[in-house]
Amino acid sequence: MTNDSNRIVFVDYIRVIACFLVMLVHASENVYAADTSGLAGNVSLLANEANRFWVAFFDGTLGRICVPLFMVVSAFLLVPVKDGMSMGQFYKKRFTRILPPMIIFMLLYTFLPLLWGQMEWEQSWNDFKMLPFNFPSMAGHLWFMYPLISLYLIIPVVSPWLEKSSAKDELLFIGLFLVSTLVPWLVRFVNAEIWGTCFWNPYFGMFYYCSGYLGYLVIAHYIRVHMDWSRAKRMKIGALCLVVGAVFTGWSFYHAGVPGQLIETPMLEWSWEFCTPNTVCSTFGAFLLFTCIERKQAPKWITTIAKLSFGMYLMHLFFLSNIAPIFVAGDQANPLIPVYLAIPCIAVLTFICCTVTSWIISKIPGSKWIIGA
Protein backbone atom coordinates (compact mmCIF):
# COMPACT_ATOMS: atom_id res chain seq x y z
CA MET A 1 0.00 0.00 0.00
CA THR A 2 2.31 2.69 -1.29
CA ASN A 3 -0.25 5.41 -2.00
CA ASP A 4 -3.38 6.73 -0.35
CA SER A 5 -5.73 5.32 -2.99
CA ASN A 6 -4.70 1.75 -2.11
CA ARG A 7 -5.08 2.09 1.64
CA ILE A 8 -7.75 0.20 3.60
CA VAL A 9 -9.70 3.00 5.23
CA PHE A 10 -10.97 1.26 8.35
CA VAL A 11 -7.47 -0.09 9.08
CA ASP A 12 -6.12 3.46 9.17
CA TYR A 13 -8.82 4.39 11.69
CA ILE A 14 -7.82 1.39 13.82
CA ARG A 15 -4.17 2.42 13.77
CA VAL A 16 -4.97 5.94 14.94
CA ILE A 17 -7.38 4.88 17.69
CA ALA A 18 -5.20 1.99 18.91
CA CYS A 19 -2.16 4.26 19.02
CA PHE A 20 -4.05 6.75 21.19
CA LEU A 21 -5.34 3.95 23.45
CA VAL A 22 -1.75 2.83 24.11
CA MET A 23 -1.03 6.30 25.44
CA LEU A 24 -4.27 6.31 27.43
CA VAL A 25 -3.24 3.06 29.11
CA HIS A 26 0.17 4.42 30.08
CA ALA A 27 -1.32 7.72 31.21
CA SER A 28 -3.61 5.77 33.55
CA GLU A 29 -0.69 3.94 35.12
CA ASN A 30 0.54 7.21 36.58
CA VAL A 31 -2.33 7.23 39.06
CA TYR A 32 -1.92 3.72 40.44
CA ALA A 33 1.81 3.00 40.20
CA ALA A 34 3.30 2.45 43.66
CA ASP A 35 6.69 3.96 42.76
CA THR A 36 7.90 7.17 41.13
CA SER A 37 8.52 5.68 37.67
CA GLY A 38 4.98 6.54 36.56
CA LEU A 39 4.35 3.07 35.14
CA ALA A 40 2.82 0.21 37.11
CA GLY A 41 5.46 -2.16 38.41
CA ASN A 42 5.11 -5.30 40.49
CA VAL A 43 3.13 -3.46 43.17
CA SER A 44 0.31 -0.95 42.74
CA LEU A 45 -1.48 1.51 45.00
CA LEU A 46 -4.86 3.16 44.44
CA ALA A 47 -5.02 6.41 46.39
CA ASN A 48 -8.81 6.73 46.53
CA GLU A 49 -12.13 5.65 45.05
CA ALA A 50 -11.94 8.16 42.19
CA ASN A 51 -8.63 6.74 41.00
CA ARG A 52 -10.01 3.23 41.37
CA PHE A 53 -12.99 3.97 39.13
CA TRP A 54 -11.29 6.08 36.47
CA VAL A 55 -8.30 3.80 36.04
CA ALA A 56 -10.70 0.89 35.65
CA PHE A 57 -12.61 2.91 33.04
CA PHE A 58 -9.78 4.42 30.99
CA ASP A 59 -7.16 1.69 31.30
CA GLY A 60 -9.45 -1.33 31.49
CA THR A 61 -12.77 -0.64 29.80
CA LEU A 62 -11.37 1.53 26.99
CA GLY A 63 -7.69 0.77 26.66
CA ARG A 64 -7.11 -2.98 26.81
CA ILE A 65 -7.98 -3.61 23.16
CA CYS A 66 -5.06 -1.50 21.89
CA VAL A 67 -2.40 -4.22 21.57
CA PRO A 68 -4.69 -6.97 20.19
CA LEU A 69 -6.03 -4.52 17.60
CA PHE A 70 -2.51 -3.93 16.31
CA MET A 71 -1.98 -7.70 16.12
CA VAL A 72 -5.23 -8.26 14.25
CA VAL A 73 -4.40 -5.46 11.80
CA SER A 74 -0.96 -6.96 11.08
CA ALA A 75 -2.48 -10.35 10.39
CA PHE A 76 -5.37 -8.89 8.41
CA LEU A 77 -2.94 -7.14 6.05
CA LEU A 78 -0.20 -9.77 5.77
CA VAL A 79 -1.97 -13.16 5.75
CA PRO A 80 -1.79 -15.06 3.54
CA VAL A 81 1.67 -14.25 2.22
CA LYS A 82 1.64 -13.04 -1.37
CA ASP A 83 2.01 -15.67 -4.08
CA GLY A 84 5.61 -16.27 -5.02
CA MET A 85 7.06 -14.63 -1.91
CA SER A 86 9.52 -16.87 -0.11
CA MET A 87 9.95 -17.01 3.65
CA GLY A 88 13.25 -15.16 3.35
CA GLN A 89 11.72 -12.42 1.21
CA PHE A 90 8.86 -11.97 3.68
CA TYR A 91 11.24 -11.71 6.61
CA LYS A 92 13.47 -9.24 4.78
CA LYS A 93 10.57 -6.98 3.89
CA ARG A 94 8.96 -6.98 7.33
CA PHE A 95 12.06 -6.88 9.51
CA THR A 96 13.85 -4.15 7.56
CA ARG A 97 10.82 -2.00 8.35
CA ILE A 98 10.54 -2.61 12.10
CA LEU A 99 14.00 -3.63 13.37
CA PRO A 100 16.05 -0.50 12.54
CA PRO A 101 13.57 1.86 14.29
CA MET A 102 13.29 -0.56 17.19
CA ILE A 103 17.07 -0.71 17.67
CA ILE A 104 17.44 3.07 17.37
CA PHE A 105 14.78 3.70 20.01
CA MET A 106 16.18 1.03 22.32
CA LEU A 107 19.47 2.95 22.26
CA LEU A 108 17.68 6.27 22.74
CA TYR A 109 15.76 4.98 25.76
CA THR A 110 19.02 3.60 27.13
CA PHE A 111 21.00 6.83 27.01
CA LEU A 112 18.82 9.86 26.25
CA PRO A 113 17.15 10.07 29.72
CA LEU A 114 20.64 10.78 31.12
CA LEU A 115 20.40 14.26 29.59
CA TRP A 116 17.54 15.38 31.84
CA GLY A 117 18.43 13.34 34.91
CA GLN A 118 15.75 10.70 34.53
CA MET A 119 18.31 7.90 34.76
CA GLU A 120 21.69 7.21 36.37
CA TRP A 121 24.70 6.14 34.33
CA GLU A 122 24.89 2.74 36.06
CA GLN A 123 21.33 1.91 35.01
CA SER A 124 22.01 3.05 31.44
CA TRP A 125 25.08 0.86 31.19
CA ASN A 126 23.23 -2.15 32.61
CA ASP A 127 20.41 -1.59 30.11
CA PHE A 128 22.92 -1.36 27.27
CA LYS A 129 24.52 -4.67 28.21
CA MET A 130 21.10 -6.34 28.20
CA LEU A 131 19.94 -4.93 24.84
CA PRO A 132 20.59 -8.17 22.92
CA PHE A 133 18.21 -9.92 25.28
CA ASN A 134 15.43 -7.49 26.22
CA PHE A 135 14.11 -3.93 26.17
CA PRO A 136 15.60 -1.11 28.30
CA SER A 137 14.17 -0.35 31.73
CA MET A 138 12.79 3.03 30.58
CA ALA A 139 11.04 1.45 27.57
CA GLY A 140 8.68 -1.12 29.01
CA HIS A 141 6.29 -0.56 26.11
CA LEU A 142 8.81 -2.17 23.75
CA TRP A 143 7.79 -5.58 25.11
CA PHE A 144 5.22 -5.47 22.31
CA MET A 145 7.92 -5.66 19.65
CA TYR A 146 8.90 -9.19 20.62
CA PRO A 147 5.43 -10.76 20.21
CA LEU A 148 5.09 -8.79 16.95
CA ILE A 149 8.39 -10.25 15.72
CA SER A 150 7.15 -13.69 16.76
CA LEU A 151 3.94 -13.15 14.78
CA TYR A 152 5.97 -12.19 11.70
CA LEU A 153 8.14 -15.29 12.13
CA ILE A 154 5.15 -17.62 12.15
CA ILE A 155 3.12 -15.98 9.35
CA PRO A 156 4.96 -17.73 6.45
CA VAL A 157 4.65 -21.04 8.32
CA VAL A 158 0.87 -20.93 8.84
CA SER A 159 0.06 -19.06 5.64
CA PRO A 160 -0.08 -22.19 3.40
CA TRP A 161 -2.54 -23.83 5.79
CA LEU A 162 -4.74 -20.73 5.93
CA GLU A 163 -4.84 -20.55 2.12
CA LYS A 164 -6.28 -24.07 1.98
CA SER A 165 -8.28 -24.22 5.20
CA SER A 166 -12.05 -24.08 5.25
CA ALA A 167 -14.10 -21.80 7.45
CA LYS A 168 -14.95 -24.81 9.61
CA ASP A 169 -11.26 -25.68 10.07
CA GLU A 170 -10.41 -22.16 11.13
CA LEU A 171 -13.34 -22.02 13.54
CA LEU A 172 -12.08 -25.24 15.12
CA PHE A 173 -8.66 -23.68 15.69
CA ILE A 174 -10.24 -20.47 17.02
CA GLY A 175 -12.22 -22.62 19.47
CA LEU A 176 -8.98 -24.19 20.73
CA PHE A 177 -7.46 -20.72 21.02
CA LEU A 178 -10.43 -19.54 23.09
CA VAL A 179 -9.92 -22.47 25.48
CA SER A 180 -6.26 -21.46 25.81
CA THR A 181 -7.30 -17.96 26.91
CA LEU A 182 -8.54 -19.51 30.15
CA VAL A 183 -5.00 -20.53 31.10
CA PRO A 184 -4.03 -17.23 32.84
CA TRP A 185 -7.09 -17.51 35.07
CA LEU A 186 -6.64 -21.21 35.78
CA VAL A 187 -2.99 -20.66 36.71
CA ARG A 188 -3.92 -17.82 39.04
CA PHE A 189 -7.06 -19.22 40.68
CA VAL A 190 -6.87 -23.02 40.33
CA ASN A 191 -3.27 -24.24 40.21
CA ALA A 192 0.04 -22.82 38.99
CA GLU A 193 0.75 -26.01 37.05
CA ILE A 194 -1.96 -27.22 34.66
CA TRP A 195 -2.25 -29.38 31.56
CA GLY A 196 1.26 -30.77 31.65
CA THR A 197 3.22 -27.82 32.98
CA CYS A 198 5.64 -28.58 35.83
CA PHE A 199 9.08 -27.49 36.95
CA TRP A 200 10.78 -29.50 34.20
CA ASN A 201 8.21 -28.37 31.61
CA PRO A 202 7.20 -24.88 32.74
CA TYR A 203 6.03 -23.45 29.41
CA PHE A 204 4.79 -26.02 26.94
CA GLY A 205 1.40 -27.03 28.25
CA MET A 206 -1.32 -28.77 26.28
CA PHE A 207 -2.64 -25.68 24.48
CA TYR A 208 0.72 -23.95 24.01
CA TYR A 209 0.74 -24.26 20.22
CA CYS A 210 -2.85 -23.03 19.94
CA SER A 211 -2.39 -20.01 22.21
CA GLY A 212 -1.11 -16.47 22.14
CA TYR A 213 -1.34 -13.94 19.35
CA LEU A 214 -1.48 -16.70 16.76
CA GLY A 215 -5.15 -16.93 17.71
CA TYR A 216 -5.68 -13.30 16.73
CA LEU A 217 -3.93 -14.03 13.43
CA VAL A 218 -6.42 -16.78 12.58
CA ILE A 219 -9.35 -14.62 13.71
CA ALA A 220 -8.18 -11.85 11.37
CA HIS A 221 -7.91 -14.23 8.44
CA TYR A 222 -11.32 -15.73 9.19
CA ILE A 223 -12.93 -12.29 9.23
CA ARG A 224 -11.25 -11.26 5.99
CA VAL A 225 -11.82 -14.47 4.00
CA HIS A 226 -14.77 -16.36 5.45
CA MET A 227 -17.03 -13.91 7.27
CA ASP A 228 -19.91 -12.78 5.06
CA TRP A 229 -22.04 -11.04 7.68
CA SER A 230 -24.05 -8.02 6.65
CA ARG A 231 -23.01 -4.60 7.90
CA ALA A 232 -26.01 -4.51 10.24
CA LYS A 233 -25.10 -7.88 11.75
CA ARG A 234 -21.46 -6.86 12.21
CA MET A 235 -22.58 -3.69 13.96
CA LYS A 236 -24.95 -5.48 16.33
CA ILE A 237 -22.64 -8.36 17.25
CA GLY A 238 -19.60 -6.10 17.29
CA ALA A 239 -21.23 -3.65 19.69
CA LEU A 240 -22.43 -6.46 21.96
CA CYS A 241 -19.01 -8.15 22.11
CA LEU A 242 -17.20 -4.86 22.67
CA VAL A 243 -19.49 -3.80 25.50
CA VAL A 244 -19.54 -7.19 27.25
CA GLY A 245 -15.78 -7.69 27.06
CA ALA A 246 -14.91 -4.11 27.96
CA VAL A 247 -17.30 -3.89 30.91
CA PHE A 248 -15.96 -7.13 32.37
CA THR A 249 -12.38 -5.90 31.93
CA GLY A 250 -13.11 -2.66 33.74
CA TRP A 251 -15.12 -4.39 36.47
CA SER A 252 -12.35 -6.92 37.16
CA PHE A 253 -9.89 -4.15 38.07
CA TYR A 254 -12.43 -2.22 40.11
CA HIS A 255 -13.42 -5.36 42.00
CA ALA A 256 -9.81 -6.27 42.84
CA GLY A 257 -8.72 -2.75 43.78
CA VAL A 258 -8.77 -1.60 47.40
CA PRO A 259 -7.85 2.08 47.87
CA GLY A 260 -5.01 2.71 50.29
CA GLN A 261 -3.59 -0.82 50.15
CA LEU A 262 -0.51 -2.08 48.32
CA ILE A 263 -1.63 -4.74 45.84
CA GLU A 264 0.44 -7.01 43.66
CA THR A 265 -0.14 -5.69 40.17
CA PRO A 266 -0.83 -9.11 38.58
CA MET A 267 -3.66 -9.63 41.09
CA LEU A 268 -5.06 -6.16 40.46
CA GLU A 269 -4.85 -6.65 36.69
CA TRP A 270 -5.94 -10.30 36.81
CA SER A 271 -8.09 -10.09 33.66
CA TRP A 272 -6.06 -7.49 31.79
CA GLU A 273 -3.80 -9.85 29.89
CA PHE A 274 -4.26 -9.55 26.14
CA CYS A 275 -5.07 -13.23 25.58
CA THR A 276 -7.90 -13.65 28.07
CA PRO A 277 -11.55 -14.28 27.09
CA ASN A 278 -12.79 -10.78 27.90
CA THR A 279 -10.05 -9.03 25.89
CA VAL A 280 -10.54 -11.34 22.92
CA CYS A 281 -14.28 -10.64 23.06
CA SER A 282 -13.91 -6.84 23.15
CA THR A 283 -11.16 -6.82 20.49
CA PHE A 284 -13.27 -8.95 18.16
CA GLY A 285 -16.22 -6.63 18.70
CA ALA A 286 -14.18 -3.48 18.12
CA PHE A 287 -12.64 -4.86 14.92
CA LEU A 288 -16.07 -5.79 13.57
CA LEU A 289 -17.30 -2.27 14.26
CA PHE A 290 -14.33 -0.77 12.44
CA THR A 291 -15.06 -2.95 9.38
CA CYS A 292 -18.42 -1.17 9.17
CA ILE A 293 -16.65 2.02 8.09
CA GLU A 294 -17.49 2.26 4.39
CA ARG A 295 -15.83 5.52 3.43
CA LYS A 296 -13.83 5.30 0.22
CA GLN A 297 -11.16 7.57 1.63
CA ALA A 298 -10.24 8.64 5.15
CA PRO A 299 -9.63 12.28 6.04
CA LYS A 300 -6.06 13.29 5.27
CA TRP A 301 -5.20 13.73 8.95
CA ILE A 302 -6.28 10.15 9.70
CA THR A 303 -4.16 8.78 6.85
CA THR A 304 -1.18 10.89 7.91
CA ILE A 305 -1.31 9.83 11.55
CA ALA A 306 -1.86 6.19 10.56
CA LYS A 307 1.37 6.29 8.57
CA LEU A 308 3.19 7.81 11.55
CA SER A 309 1.66 5.53 14.20
CA PHE A 310 4.61 3.14 14.50
CA GLY A 311 7.03 5.97 15.22
CA MET A 312 4.54 7.56 17.60
CA TYR A 313 4.28 4.31 19.52
CA LEU A 314 8.06 3.99 19.73
CA MET A 315 8.65 7.50 21.09
CA HIS A 316 5.59 8.14 23.22
CA LEU A 317 7.11 7.33 26.63
CA PHE A 318 9.69 10.08 26.17
CA PHE A 319 6.86 12.60 26.16
CA LEU A 320 4.44 10.86 28.51
CA SER A 321 7.03 10.38 31.26
CA ASN A 322 7.66 14.13 31.29
CA ILE A 323 4.07 15.30 30.77
CA ALA A 324 2.48 13.08 33.44
CA PRO A 325 4.45 14.55 36.39
CA ILE A 326 3.05 17.99 35.54
CA PHE A 327 -0.44 16.69 36.27
CA VAL A 328 0.29 14.15 39.01
CA ALA A 329 3.31 15.82 40.66
CA GLY A 330 3.91 12.87 42.94
CA ASP A 331 0.47 13.13 44.57
CA GLN A 332 -1.88 10.62 42.96
CA ALA A 333 -4.68 11.48 45.38
CA ASN A 334 -4.63 15.15 44.37
CA PRO A 335 -3.56 15.67 40.76
CA LEU A 336 -3.40 19.14 39.23
CA ILE A 337 -6.90 18.62 37.80
CA PRO A 338 -9.49 15.94 38.65
CA VAL A 339 -8.29 12.47 37.73
CA TYR A 340 -11.05 11.99 35.16
CA LEU A 341 -9.53 14.92 33.26
CA ALA A 342 -5.87 14.31 34.13
CA ILE A 343 -5.66 10.88 32.49
CA PRO A 344 -7.11 11.88 29.09
CA CYS A 345 -5.19 15.19 29.14
CA ILE A 346 -1.88 13.36 29.61
CA ALA A 347 -2.79 11.01 26.76
CA VAL A 348 -3.96 13.79 24.40
CA LEU A 349 -0.91 15.98 24.98
CA THR A 350 1.37 12.98 24.48
CA PHE A 351 -0.46 12.07 21.29
CA ILE A 352 -0.11 15.60 19.92
CA CYS A 353 3.61 15.77 20.76
CA CYS A 354 4.24 12.41 19.13
CA THR A 355 2.26 13.34 16.03
CA VAL A 356 4.15 16.58 15.51
CA THR A 357 7.55 15.04 16.23
CA SER A 358 6.94 12.03 13.97
CA TRP A 359 5.67 14.29 11.19
CA ILE A 360 8.81 16.44 11.39
CA ILE A 361 11.06 13.37 11.37
CA SER A 362 9.12 11.97 8.38
CA LYS A 363 10.35 14.94 6.32
CA ILE A 364 13.97 13.91 6.83
CA PRO A 365 15.49 11.70 4.09
CA GLY A 366 15.75 8.13 5.33
CA SER A 367 13.14 8.66 8.04
CA LYS A 368 11.85 5.11 7.51
CA TRP A 369 14.93 3.83 9.36
CA ILE A 370 13.97 5.94 12.38
CA ILE A 371 10.18 5.81 12.60
CA GLY A 372 9.23 3.30 9.91
CA ALA A 373 7.43 5.94 7.82
Side-chain angles (χ1 to χ4, degrees):
M1 298 190 299
T2 57
N3 58 70
D4 291 353
S5 62
N6 291 331
R7 299 186 71 85
I8 301 176
V9 173
F10 80 84
V11 167
D12 280 346
Y13 277 96
I14 291 177
R15 282 177 167 147
V16 173
I17 297 300
C19 186
F20 175 74
L21 290 179
V22 169
M23 300 176 195
L24 188 68
V25 165
H26 291 148
S28 302
E29 291 188 18
N30 282 270
V31 295
Y32 73 97
D35 56 47
T36 58
S37 69
L39 298 180
N42 294 330
V43 180
S44 297
L45 177 65
L46 291 163
N48 50 43
E49 283 292 339
N51 289 16
R52 178 189 187 189
F53 176 83
W54 290 109
V55 170
F57 176 73
F58 287 120
D59 198 342
T61 303
L62 298 184
R64 285 294 127 180
I65 61 175
C66 58
V67 167
L69 278 177
F70 276 127
M71 292 297 190
V72 174
V73 163
S74 294
F76 188 84
L77 296 176
L78 298 176
V79 180
V81 174
K82 293 180 180 179
D83 289 339
M85 179 177 283
S86 68
M87 182 180 289
Q89 290 171 327
F90 178 84
Y91 289 161
K92 181 180 179 180
K93 184 173 183 180
R94 301 318 307 168
F95 292 136
T96 53
R97 180 177 183 269
I98 67 169
L99 289 183
M102 174 186 172
I103 293 169
I104 287 173
F105 272 90
M106 287 175 76
L107 290 169
L108 289 175
Y109 279 106
T110 298
F111 295 111
L112 202 56
L114 288 170
L115 297 180
W116 51 80
Q118 204 170 14
M119 181 182 287
E120 299 294 331
W121 169 251
E122 183 180 2
Q123 184 62 59
S124 293
W125 181 243
N126 289 334
D127 284 354
F128 179 72
K129 291 188 292 184
M130 287 300 296
L131 285 188
F133 308 105
N134 216 339
F135 51 83
S137 58
M138 285 288 294
H141 65 301
L142 294 184
W143 73 267
F144 166 78
M145 296 303 300
Y146 298 90
L148 181 65
I149 290 169
S150 178
L151 196 69
Y152 285 175
L153 289 173
I154 202 65
I155 281 176
V157 178
V158 301
S159 188
W161 170 69
L162 288 170
E163 287 186 274
K164 299 178 180 179
S165 62
S166 66
K168 186 176 181 180
D169 291 338
E170 291 187 30
L171 282 176
L172 177 59
F173 182 89
I174 291 171
L176 296 172
F177 163 64
L178 293 177
V179 174
S180 79
T181 63
L182 296 172
V183 169
W185 295 354
L186 295 175
V187 167
R188 184 161 289 136
F189 298 114
V190 178
N191 192 54
E193 297 178 341
I194 62 166
W195 294 334
T197 57
C198 47
F199 78 85
W200 62 89
N201 179 44
Y203 309 114
F204 305 101
M206 180 168 62
F207 286 97
Y208 179 83
Y209 295 105
C210 301
S211 63
Y213 297 106
L214 176 60
Y216 284 111
L217 185 155
V218 179
I219 288 174
H221 183 267
Y222 180 85
I223 292 173
R224 181 166 190 169
V225 176
H226 299 296
M227 185 173 285
D228 57 358
W229 293 353
S230 67
R231 184 171 183 269
K233 184 175 181 179
R234 280 180 283 134
M235 289 187 70
K236 290 177 183 178
I237 296 180
L240 177 63
C241 290
L242 175 60
V243 170
V244 170
V247 168
F248 181 90
T249 307
W251 167 84
S252 68
F253 181 96
Y254 185 85
H255 177 72
V258 180
Q261 293 186 13
L262 287 173
I263 306 173
E264 292 184 4
T265 303
M267 293 306 298
L268 184 61
E269 300 179 354
W270 66 272
S271 76
W272 282 17
E273 294 184 32
F274 298 113
C275 292
T276 49
N278 50 298
T279 310
V280 174
C281 181
S282 54
T283 302
F284 173 71
F287 192 82
L288 283 187
L289 290 177
F290 276 110
T291 65
C292 295
I293 298 174
E294 295 183 342
R295 299 186 62 163
K296 294 183 179 180
Q297 189 171 357
K300 186 174 179 59
W301 67 273
I302 289 286
T303 303
T304 299
I305 296 176
K307 292 177 180 178
L308 300 173
S309 59
F310 182 50
M312 293 169 62
Y313 153 77
L314 290 172
M315 71 177 64
H316 80 274
L317 277 191
F318 280 131
F319 292 104
L320 193 146
S321 63
N322 287 286
I323 292 172
I326 297 173
F327 289 88
V328 180
D331 187 357
Q332 297 170 339
N334 299 287
L336 182 66
I337 56 178
V339 68
Y340 64 84
L341 293 176
I343 292 173
C345 281
I346 293 169
V348 168
L349 289 174
T350 301
F351 190 83
I352 292 171
C353 291
C354 291
T355 302
V356 173
T357 305
S358 296
W359 181 80
I360 292 172
I361 294 174
S362 72
K363 301 304 178 182
I364 302 172
S367 63
K368 69 176 183 178
W369 304 112
I370 303 173
I371 58 172

